[in-house]
Amino acid sequence: MIILPNGNENMKRPCTTQQIGVLVRTTRKSQRMTQQDLALVSGTGIRFIVDLEKGKATCELAKVLTVLHMLAIEVQLIPPKTGDAS
Amino acid sequence: MIILPNGNENMKRPCTTQQIGVLVRTTRKSQRMTQQDLALVSGTGIRFIVDLEKGKATCELAKVLTVLHMLAIEVQLIPPKTGDAS
DNA sequence: ATAAATATTTACCGTACAGGATTATGGAGA
DNA sequence: TCTCCATAATCCTGTACGGTAAATATTTAT
């Protein structure tokens, strides 16, 4: 176990809202969907999609999950192998 | 491609806030942390942890990601293999 | 290249609710 | 009992998000 200069231990970087935003946008475009399309099938407003793709920190969790699902982006949450903590 | 009775095609189930809540709670307990501990290291209030573990739909994305990170729960977002869409 | 058609972004308003702090309640265990 | 943990209720500040319209940017056609 390595203690980094910033005080953190060597754990994987946190998933950021920025990363999610970029992923949503690139995936959406690869599906040739407009933001409006995505908003429609996700049951949200366009504003939400715009904010999400911009990496807004305060987006609502469930709506984000819905959007990811509509884009067929699989979400895997992998718990620690019983031992490592914060 | 299979059309299921509920009208959906055969895509994986969406990740739900309920699942995340359960995962957070079980992982936290396995680390022997209290909700207060988790709130403290995550920079949130206890209320947020309680709500998150209850599966509240409207939790703020970034805070959820922080909590997952503090619990060393890895988040993997896997984009579709270029083709499948909604 | 230029124009036309689309797509995206931003600003504003209004409603509704998130989440922090605090306090109270209840349950499990020493 | 006393203590720790979890939950719930209340107050309050800030803001998410939908709708809309206007301003840009990007793509497509001629």
Side-chain angles (χ1 to χ4, degrees):
Chain A
M1 181 189 301
I2 302 171
I3 307 292
L4 296 171
N6 45 353
N8 291 336
E9 303 164 24
N10 72 339
M11 57 193 339
K12 294 194 174 63
R13 293 277 181 87
C15 179
T16 68
T17 58
Q18 310 287 338
Q19 291 173 341
I20 295 177
V22 171
L23 178 62
V24 165
R25 165 170 277 241
T26 59
T27 305
R28 171 180 63 79
K29 292 204 159 183
S30 80
Q31 314 279 9
R32 297 181 198 287
M33 300 176 77
T34 70
Q35 293 177 325
Q36 185 142 52
D37 293 335
L38 184 53
L40 201 62
V41 299
S42 302
T44 75
I46 295 180
R47 269 265 317 281
F48 180 82
I49 304 297
V50 173
D51 288 340
L52 176 58
E53 291 186 356
K54 263 199 304 187
K56 186 172 168 186
T58 53
C59 289
E60 291 188 8
L61 177 60
K63 294 189 185 200
V64 176
L65 295 177
T66 300
V67 170
L68 293 178
H69 185 236
M70 289 335 240
L71 289 173
I73 295 174
E74 187 182 354
V75 179
Q76 286 187 3
L77 298 178
I78 305 172
K81 34 197 170 321
T82 303
D84 189 27
S86 169
Chain B
M1 180 189 302
I2 302 172
I3 308 292
L4 297 170
N6 46 352
N8 289 336
E9 302 163 26
N10 74 340
M11 58 192 341
K12 295 194 174 64
R13 294 276 182 85
C15 180
T16 68
T17 58
Q18 309 288 339
Q19 290 172 344
I20 294 177
V22 171
L23 178 62
V24 165
R25 166 171 277 244
T26 59
T27 305
R28 171 180 64 79
K29 291 201 162 184
S30 81
Q31 315 279 5
R32 301 185 194 288
M33 298 176 77
T34 70
Q35 293 176 326
Q36 184 141 45
D37 292 336
L38 185 53
L40 201 62
V41 299
S42 301
T44 74
I46 296 180
R47 261 271 305 278
F48 181 82
I49 304 297
V50 173
D51 287 343
L52 175 59
E53 290 187 357
K54 264 200 303 187
K56 187 172 167 184
T58 53
C59 289
E60 290 188 7
L61 177 59
K63 295 188 183 189
V64 176
L65 295 177
T66 300
V67 170
L68 293 178
H69 184 236
M70 291 331 244
L71 288 173
I73 296 174
E74 188 181 352
V75 179
Q76 286 188 4
L77 299 178
I78 305 172
K81 33 194 171 322
T82 302
D84 186 28
S86 169

